[in-house]
Every structure is written in structure tokens, then in C-alpha cells.
Amino acid sequence: MSDVRDHTDDLRIVGKRYYGRWLSALVVLLCVVAMAHSMINNPRFEWSVIAENFTGESILQGVLMTLQLTAISVVLGFAFGTVLALMRLSSNPVLVGVSWFYTWFFRGVPMLVQLFLWYNIAALYPTISLSIPGLGELWSTQSNALVSPFSAAVIALVMHQSAYAAEIVRAGIQSVGNGQLEAARALGYRPSQIFRHTVLPQAMRAIMPPAGNEIIGQLKTTAVVSVISLQDVLFSAQIIYQRTYEVIPLLLVATLWYLLMTSVLSIGQFYVERYFGRGVTRREKRSLFKSLPGFSAQKPERSVSNG
């Protein structure tokens, strides 16, 4: 018995060696360092020009325009998309058909084509008027005066966003089990109370991940408004480099601003998802850094070896 105990005392724990993991990490790290060294030391990047224009007045105005277009299109798009989703889930065949056709059309037509159509709406309807049979024309105006580049961009972005938002909201609502609805009806909840207190809180867990991605995508989609001379970030950079011929540095300024804005939205998406998923993930405290690749807490495997 003593011999077995002495033999057990001689055993020690040896960590498992991951040679392939360390080798691949070293190769990738060397590639990253080489790319960073090339970008920093390449004079054609003109980092001084980038630093000079990054907070320029024209660029900042473009940033504000981009954020404004994103906020308006997302709020109105998801509000209208929710209505379309409820129409699609309705038992009324007319509402279902209209919702389906709207989603099919605006998801099928490219965003740039929609923008041009709204911008040139005066070619189809030179005058927009409101009239009531028996009372005559109540209001009339020229389309060019009503549909400015900004309003054309807002209409196109909202129409485009609402079509995708409708499918996201519909999928989230359908993810709620029928048992939850039957339980709410058994408790005497009215349809509006069932939607507000039972369906919506549970649907938001399924809605938020794709909705967050859609919002980030919409931020980048706003770049197409530069083709109708609306001063967003990209158009502001184009105005400057058409004057100075410093094309690459100004494009990098726009790139850095887009990366900064999408990073802020990604952080906000993480905390919103954690808020709506708190009933499911309350046992596991999620943090922003733990959600990143390589930051998950995994214990290395251990093996026992004789000394």
C-alpha cells in the first residue's frame, strides 16, 4: 500500500502542448505586423493628410448627415416594417398579399435604383395634388419643390429598410411558441396585452441580432446618397479630393469614420442584446470582451505523466 502511495506522489501534471496552435498564431502575427509596417511606412498613404482632414468641418458635416439619415431610416423603417409584419401574419388575405408584394418588390429592386427613381419622381408625376371627390383639389405643389435630394434619400432608405425589417420582425414574432399565447389567453389577456406583455419581450431576443446587423448595414448603405450630391461622409471626401487630388487619403478618412461609427453601433448592439436576453443568460455573466474570439474562458486540457 505504501508503495502505491509513493508512486502516486511521484506523478505530476503536465500541460498539453499545442504546437500547431502556437505556430499558426505566430504566422498570422507576423503577417499582421508586416501589413501594419507596410501601411505605416508607405508614404503614399499620406497619414498627415488623413490626420488633417479627419476632423475637418466638411467631413464632420458629412458624418452628421450620415447619422441623421441612418437614424431616420432605421426608426421609420422598423416602425413601418412592424406594421408590414403584422399585416403578413394577419388572417386577412388582402393585407397578406399587399405586405408580401411590398416586401418582394423593395427587396428585389437595388437600393441605388430606388434612390434614382425617387430622385426623378417629377418625370412621372410633375405635380402632386390632394383632392376629394365633390370638394375638388385641396392642395397642389410641384414635385421638384416637394422631393428634394434629402427627402428622396429618406424615402428610398425607409422603403428599403422597412422591407427587410418586416421579415426580421415577422421571424421574431413567429419564434414565440403557441403555448405562451394560449397561457396568456387563459389568463384573460386582451390581444393588445398579449402582444405587449407576452409576444414582444420574447420576440425581441430573436429580433435584436439580425436587427443590429441590419442597422449597421443601413449605416453603410447611406453612402449611395452621394450619387445625388447629398453631402454624407463619402460625398464630403469626394468634394475635397476633387479639389486637392488626394484621393487615397480622403477615401481612408471616410473609411475610418465608417469603421468608427459601425464599432459604436456594434458595442450598442451587444448591450441591447444582453438586456433583452437577461432572462436566458442570467446565470452566465456576459461581457463585451468575453464575446470576442480568443477571450472565452476555456481551461487548457491537462494530462498526467510520470515524473
Side-chain angles (χ1 to χ4, degrees):
M1 187 68 178
S2 60
D3 293 339
V4 174
R5 186 181 296 110
D6 294 339
H7 180 69
T8 304
D9 293 339
D10 293 338
L11 298 177
R12 62 188 180 89
I13 298 176
V14 179
K16 186 177 180 180
R17 294 173 176 83
Y18 297 93
Y19 297 107
R21 179 186 300 179
W22 287 106
L23 180 60
S24 60
L26 179 61
V27 172
V28 172
L29 183 60
L30 290 175
C31 293
V32 171
V33 170
M35 292 176 60
H37 181 270
S38 174
M39 294 174 61
I40 293 173
N41 294 281
N42 189 342
R44 295 182 179 86
F45 277 92
E46 300 183 68
W47 292 106
S48 59
V49 177
I50 295 174
E52 179 184 351
N53 290 277
F54 188 75
T55 55
E57 182 180 355
S58 177
I59 296 295
L60 292 179
Q61 289 177 354
V63 171
L64 291 177
M65 177 60 72
T66 298
L67 293 175
Q68 185 179 2
L69 289 172
T70 304
I72 294 174
S73 62
V74 166
V75 172
L76 296 181
F78 270 89
F80 191 30
T82 302
V83 175
L84 289 170
L86 295 177
M87 291 171 60
R88 186 73 178 274
L89 296 172
S90 171
S91 57
N92 188 323
V94 176
L95 297 181
V96 173
V98 171
S99 176
W100 178 88
F101 178 82
Y102 181 97
T103 305
W104 168 78
F105 181 82
F106 284 100
R107 286 201 305 172
V109 180
M111 175 61 204
L112 191 58
V113 176
Q114 296 180 41
L115 182 63
F116 280 133
L117 285 174
W118 286 108
Y119 185 65
N120 296 283
I121 193 66
L124 295 175
Y125 298 97
T127 303
I128 299 177
S129 60
L130 175 64
S131 60
I132 298 178
L135 297 178
E137 188 176 279
L138 301 179
W139 172 80
S140 178
T141 185
Q142 295 294 319
S143 298
N144 286 330
L146 183 64
V147 182
S148 63
F150 178 78
S151 58
V154 168
I155 294 172
L157 289 169
V158 169
M159 295 293 189
H160 177 79
Q161 180 67 79
S162 60
Y164 287 91
E167 292 300 289
I168 293 173
V169 174
R170 182 173 68 90
I173 293 175
Q174 289 181 325
S175 68
V176 181
N178 290 329
Q180 301 288 331
L181 305 180
E182 293 173 0
R185 294 191 191 99
L187 292 173
Y189 281 16
R190 295 190 299 272
S192 60
Q193 293 177 319
I194 294 175
F195 181 77
R196 188 170 65 252
H197 298 295
T198 304
V199 176
L200 192 59
Q202 297 182 69
M204 289 301 292
R205 287 199 296 265
I207 290 173
M208 281 315 302
N213 292 334
E214 190 63 31
I215 293 171
I216 293 173
Q218 186 74 349
L219 173 69
K220 296 180 291 183
T221 302
T222 58
V224 301
V225 303
S226 61
V227 300
I228 59 172
S229 301
L230 198 60
Q231 190 177 353
D232 68 324
V233 178
L234 180 58
F235 189 74
S236 299
Q238 289 175 331
I239 292 175
I240 298 174
Y241 74 60
Q242 286 173 359
R243 185 180 68 251
T244 63
Y245 299 102
E246 296 167 331
V247 179
I248 297 300
L250 269 302
L251 289 178
L252 288 176
V253 168
T255 299
L256 291 174
W257 269 113
Y258 279 116
L259 287 173
L260 178 60
M261 290 185 287
T262 53
S263 298
V264 172
L265 289 177
S266 299
I267 295 173
Q269 177 187 357
F270 169 81
Y271 286 106
V272 172
E273 286 183 19
R274 190 175 71 170
Y275 172 79
F276 284 106
R278 62 190 185 279
V280 177
T281 59
R282 59 187 177 187
R283 295 182 180 178
E284 179 185 352
K285 212 55 177 166
R286 293 181 60 198
S287 67
L288 179 62
F289 294 103
K290 286 183 179 180
S291 65
L292 298 176
F295 283 89
S296 58
Q298 294 181 352
K299 295 183 179 180
E301 299 179 12
R302 312 291 284 186
S303 61
V304 179
S305 174
N306 290 330

